[in-house]
Amino acid sequence: MISIAERLDGVEDLPSMPLTLQRVLAEMDNSVGDAKSLEKIIEEDLVLAAKILRVANSPYYGVAGHVTKVSHSIVVLGFEEVKNLVIGLALTQSFSQDISESGLSAKDLWMHSVAVARASRAFAEHVPGLDREELFTAGLMHDMGRFILCLYFQDHLPEIRRIQDENQVPFFKAEEIYGLSHAEAGAYLAKKWELSDWLVNVIRYHHHPASAGAESVAASVVFLADQLCQKLEIGWTSSHMPEKLMVPKTLNMDAATVKKVAKEMAEEKSKLEASWSAAIG
């Protein structure tokens, strides 16, 4: 069987990493980011700046129409929120093509990714040794391989759906049975973009965290966050998901903590959908 990597090796027009995303990730890696450096990055991308201002002026934040500068948006939304918006919106630029013929909605896929990012960050706060912002980024990127399948392997999706329905399994499991995994596709692209080995492995193993080696704890966080957001039906959801959340033992997380994060996410659902939808469009 031809591997997903071998299939993607033959694709000439795979998305390249957006310059804005490169700059923000480099800023995170090389120094303690500050509002001024982030403001400069945003102001040099006019489309991104307009989207950030649209979010800052959304009714949720109570200052509709009054935020006209990027610097003010950072004050209104907060540095971390704006930084995360920049990462998410820069990613959407890489996958801006219409994928409606695949039967999936780009907006729903992004809303799911945003929700998983938020839930991953929330769970990471309760796991020693994890960087909550790194987990946010991993959550945002965990399903970018799904866009790859929609863009380049559209003709294969009906058969994957048939396998899903016939076997009554989640979509990711049907992909694996068929031999075309979005997790492998996402890891391939992350490696092509020269992202860290840590991030590549978390993306690759977010459905099988026990196989992630040194990254098993981080992958377990994304795995749990993914399940929770499916349960809460934020953005895209798969049919035939397990009824109960599976909490990996490696997290050593009690039921009370899981319920606490679930409650926070349920309460935040409308905010997520309002603020990020304004940006994603």
Side-chain angles (χ1 to χ4, degrees), residues 44-257:
E44 291 178 3
D45 186 328
L46 296 180
V47 173
L48 179 63
K51 289 183 175 183
I52 295 293
L53 291 175
R54 192 187 309 163
V55 174
N57 282 296
S58 65
Y60 178 83
Y61 293 100
V63 289
H66 296 292
V67 181
T68 58
K69 295 182 178 180
V70 171
S71 58
H72 190 192
S73 73
I74 295 173
V75 173
V76 171
L77 301 175
F79 175 80
E80 293 295 346
E81 180 79 356
V82 173
K83 183 193 72 182
N84 291 331
L85 271 167
V86 170
I87 293 171
L89 294 174
L91 275 172
T92 67
Q93 293 174 11
S94 293
F95 304 102
S96 58
Q97 301 99 311
D98 182 10
I99 64 168
S100 57
E101 288 187 14
S102 70
L104 297 177
S105 158
K107 186 173 181 178
D108 286 346
L109 287 176
W110 280 122
M111 283 307 307
H112 170 72
S113 294
V114 168
V116 171
R118 288 297 184 95
S120 294
R121 183 171 63 185
F123 282 127
E125 291 181 358
H126 302 280
V127 182
L130 294 183
D131 183 315
R132 62 196 293 269
E133 297 307 326
E134 284 185 343
L135 264 298
F136 186 97
T137 301
L140 268 178
M141 295 185 174
H142 82 288
D143 262 0
M144 63 183 185
R146 191 150 271 141
F147 286 92
I148 297 295
L149 298 194
C150 290
L151 289 170
Y152 302 102
F153 300 98
Q154 210 175 92
D155 294 345
H156 299 262
L157 296 182
E159 179 62 14
I160 293 173
R161 290 193 184 92
R162 186 195 66 76
I163 291 171
Q164 178 186 25
D165 292 338
E166 185 177 281
N167 293 276
Q168 300 283 289
V169 293
F171 200 75
F172 83 87
K173 181 60 69 176
E175 292 173 358
E176 292 172 352
I177 294 170
Y178 184 73
L180 205 57
S181 162
H182 76 278
E184 286 293 335
Y188 177 97
L189 187 62
K191 192 166 185 177
K192 184 179 177 67
W193 285 0
E194 298 183 350
L195 298 177
S196 68
D197 290 342
W198 179 91
L199 191 50
V200 170
N201 283 327
V202 173
I203 292 171
R204 173 175 283 123
Y205 296 112
H206 71 269
H207 285 297
H208 301 286
S211 300
E215 283 72 58
S216 62
V217 175
S220 293
V221 166
V222 177
F223 170 79
L224 180 57
D226 191 358
Q227 292 179 79
L228 175 60
C229 294
Q230 295 273 352
K231 280 285 181 193
L232 295 175
E233 297 184 343
I234 307 176
W236 178 84
T237 57
S238 170
S239 56
H240 308 304
M241 291 293 291
E243 288 188 15
K244 294 183 178 180
L245 293 181
M246 294 181 286
V247 183
K249 291 182 179 179
T250 186
L251 294 180
N252 194 29
M253 190 174 292
D254 58 33
T257 300

